[in-house]
């Protein structure tokens, strides 16, 4: 019994320390977002909170540019939504086709879809920018959405391939005997059973497109097209606004992850 008690003691102690180390910076940023510039003093650090920063930052102009925090938030929302939708369409159809349908050169297509995972996207930024420039897609929502979708493709395809591959193939065979089309089988039978993989794909697509900085900084050149993370980096830390901006920026992603984490971990367990 003493060994069990010691094991549990160290388990909870280590987890408590790690939790404090992880959440302490988040707590400090949250507190700073509720303070004014004149109130950041040790004696007032845990008192005199205000929500004015969260309202003021929306119309804040960034370094004499025409861009505002509100416009950048909208830009990120458009790009993230487009990336999620396009990633879902491509990866769901590709994963279903490669895992369940009889198509020629299936192994070659599988390797071709996984291959981008071996190429770091940041190592080909310059060729990507030149390509987007030549087809007039630089400094546009569509250009950045396409880049992020390619970024998501290898992992997204592999997630959906594993999800569909883990479903008994007899379900599809019975549906075919009942004269169901492939689209009916996909949307009525397969997708409901592949929800954990689908949710994981959505979380990953949101993470890639919402938190990226370098690709957004290089591809989006004009002030009114800049993404949220780029705008936050230009506010500077001489004011208190960046902290409110960080909370507004990452709170939606954290809420989505907390709500969907059950499906996320279920997908990881089923993949292993």
């Amino acid at each position: 019994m003493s060994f069990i008690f010691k094991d549990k003691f160290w388990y909870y102690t280590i987890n408590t320390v790690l939790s404090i180390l992880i959440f302490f910076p988040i707590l400090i940023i949250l507190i700073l977002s509720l303070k004014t510039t004149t109130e950041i003093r040790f004696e007032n650090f845990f008192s005199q909170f205000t929500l004015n920063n969260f309202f003021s930052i929306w119309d804040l102009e960034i370094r004499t540019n025409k861009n505002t925090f509100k416009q950048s938030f909208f830009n990120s929302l458009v790009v993230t939504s487009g990336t999620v939708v396009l990633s879902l369409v491509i990866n769901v159809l590709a994963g279903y086709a490669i895992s369940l349908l009889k198509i020629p050169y299936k192994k070659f297509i599988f390797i071709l879809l996984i291959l981008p995972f071996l190429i770091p996207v940041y190592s080909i930024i310059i060729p990507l920018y030149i390509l987007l420039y030549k087809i007039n897609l630089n400094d546009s929502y569509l250009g950045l959405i396409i880049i992020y979708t390619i970024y998501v493709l290898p992992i997204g395809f592999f997630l959906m391939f594993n999800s569909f591959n883990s479903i008994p193939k007899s379900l599809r065979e019975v549906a075919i005997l009942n004269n169901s089309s492939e689209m009916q089988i996909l949307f009525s039978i397969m997708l409901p059973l592949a929800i954990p993989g689908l949710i994981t794909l959505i979380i990953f697509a949101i993470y890639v497109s919402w938190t990226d900085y370098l690709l957004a900084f290089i591809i989006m050149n004009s002030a009114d097209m800049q993404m949220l993370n780029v705008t936050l980096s230009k506010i500077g830390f001489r004011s208190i606004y960046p902290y409110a901006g960080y909370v507004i920026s990452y709170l939606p992603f954290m809420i989505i992850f907390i709500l969907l984490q059950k499906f996320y971990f279920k997908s990881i367990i089923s993949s292993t």
Side-chain angles (χ1 to χ4, degrees), residues 166-186:
S166 63
I167 299 172
K169 293 179 174 58
S170 58
L171 294 176
R172 178 174 172 272
E173 294 170 356
V174 171
I176 291 173
L177 292 175
N178 291 327
N179 296 321
S180 297
S181 65
E182 290 295 346
M183 284 300 173
Q184 288 175 330
I185 296 171
L186 173 60

Side-chain angles (χ1 to χ4, degrees), residues 188-231:
S188 300
I189 301 173
M190 296 301 175
L191 269 185
L193 296 174
I195 288 294
L198 202 66
I199 296 299
T200 306
L201 172 58
I202 292 172
I203 291 174
F204 182 66
I206 293 173
Y207 170 77
V208 167
S209 53
W210 189 265
T211 62
D212 175 68
Y213 175 84
L214 190 57
L215 289 171
F217 177 76
I218 292 174
I219 294 172
M220 296 301 205
N221 305 124
S222 59
D224 59 339
M225 294 295 290
Q226 288 178 351
M227 297 294 104
L228 190 56
N229 287 334
V230 178
T231 298

